[in-house]
Amino acid sequence: MDNRRAYDDVAAHYDLEYPGPRTGELEFWQGQLPAPDSKVLELACGSGRLLAPLARGGAVMTGIDSSPAMLARARERLRADPAVCGFGARLHLQSMQDLELEDEFSLVMAAFNALLLVPHRELPLVLERVRSHLDRGGKLVAELFAMTGFDALPDEESAPLAGGSGSWWRDRSYRYDPDLRAGISHVSYRHGRGRIASQHSYGLHLHSWPELETQLVGSGFWIESLYGGFDRRPFRDAGGQLIFVARPSD
Ligand SMILES: C[S@@+](CC[C@H](N)C(=O)[O-])C[C@H]1O[C@@H](n2cnc3c(N)ncnc32)[C@H](O)[C@@H]1O
């Protein structure tokens, strides 16, 4: 499933659902910066939820995203934050598959399932592109979830959104597509009992950790660390949240 334009139609409501960093998330990423003024590339940076606060802390941030609407949200967020403006974060309309920048980075971050947005067959290409954008000593750090048996089960949920002053709701239906090996979600946003304000579908291309590790090693990375949460507890190999730190093998 191609997710490149999947967020265009919900950009206006994305921040209601994800207004800022999750618990421990920003501290985790700040802890990954090799130096406070490190050059960092965020893949699929979306509305700048993480990119803006990292830039505010002094990191020299570049973000790429394939959705013009999500990048417009990120630009707005950066413009609204005078502390960030001074650092001049750069944003590019670019997909992970087409990553092509002049700079090299000491950290390439793939937060919040960014790598799962890439179809399985295109992941080697993305990893190759990432490798070629790392400086000497640079690393790729990705946060995602490793597949468990539960991810193959269909699911429906309806929940109020944390951000936003009104009573915004999000409805989501989920199913697993065994041919694509992807979890497909259809999400809609509505205000109270009102009609749907925006909706979209996206697919997360799921991996178990052993599958993903094989892919990383095959693409010329070695795994320096493997965590099971932002507090850096060890990953227990049972699925769920997974964060890896990978470096080029040569
Ligand atoms: C769930 S949002 C995550 C945004 C951000 N990383 C965050 O943590 O809030 C997913 C983002 O990935 C972008 N995206 C999807 N497929 C992409 C691709 N192949 N290359 C670049 N961006 C992509 C979407 O446009 C969207 O902005």
Side-chain angles (χ1 to χ4, degrees):
M1 179 167 182
D2 193 332
N3 290 299
R4 281 179 266 209
R5 302 298 296 269
Y7 285 77
D8 284 358
D9 292 341
V10 293
H13 297 108
Y14 184 84
D15 292 336
L16 294 177
E17 184 168 3
Y18 304 108
R22 294 166 285 164
T23 306
E25 191 178 18
L26 184 59
E27 295 74 12
F28 171 81
W29 287 109
Q30 283 168 330
Q32 290 302 313
L33 299 174
D37 59 352
S38 300
K39 277 168 84 172
V40 179
L41 170 63
E42 184 180 3
L43 303 175
C45 64
S47 65
R49 193 181 63 86
L50 289 170
L51 182 138
L54 286 169
R56 196 183 307 126
V60 182
M61 296 299 299
T62 298
I64 63 155
D65 199 282
S66 53
S67 161
M70 290 294 274
L71 274 186
R73 301 288 305 174
R75 288 205 174 89
E76 253 172 60
R77 193 191 288 261
L78 293 172
R79 261 199 305 270
D81 188 338
V84 177
C85 282
F87 293 101
R90 290 185 188 166
L91 299 174
H92 299 271
L93 180 61
Q94 210 168 86
S95 75
M96 291 182 263
Q97 292 89 328
D98 299 324
L99 175 63
E100 182 72 73
L101 298 170
E102 283 182 3
D103 285 322
E104 291 185 335
F105 301 90
S106 52
L107 168 63
V108 174
M109 51 187 284
F112 209 6
N113 299 322
L115 287 185
L116 302 186
L117 294 162
V118 177
H120 290 88
R121 67 174 183 287
E122 293 172 4
L123 191 56
L125 167 67
V126 169
L127 293 174
E128 189 267 315
R129 301 276 71 223
V130 168
R131 255 179 71 112
S132 70
H133 284 78
L134 287 171
D135 64 17
R136 266 184 95 78
K139 61 184 177 180
L140 165 66
V141 183
E143 185 245 328
L144 47 106
F145 70 92
M147 186 173 178
T148 69
F150 290 115
D151 298 312
L153 302 175
D155 190 25
E156 299 271 343
E157 63 179 18
S158 194
L161 298 180
S165 46
S167 49
W168 280 95
W169 284 71
R170 169 203 202 245
D171 302 310
R172 172 176 175 258
S173 65
Y174 172 87
R175 72 182 170 82
Y176 179 69
D177 182 324
D179 297 325
L180 291 177
R181 290 193 290 142
I184 314 283
S185 293
H186 181 80
V187 172
S188 55
Y189 298 101
R190 63 186 158 86
H191 195 250
R193 293 186 182 279
R195 64 185 175 82
I196 290 172
S198 71
Q199 57 186 317
H200 75 156
S201 295
Y202 64 92
L204 294 181
H205 302 90
L206 303 177
H207 309 257
S208 66
W209 169 242
E211 277 172 346
L212 188 55
E213 184 180 27
T214 303
Q215 185 79 82
L216 285 159
V217 171
S219 296
F221 286 93
W222 63 277
I223 311 302
E224 183 180 80
S225 309
L226 187 59
Y227 304 121
F230 294 128
D231 58 4
R232 298 195 288 172
R233 76 184 89 113
F235 178 69
R236 294 275 176 225
D237 225 15
Q241 191 181 27
L242 177 161
I243 304 171
F244 68 77
V245 179
R247 294 185 187 270
S249 319
D250 42 54

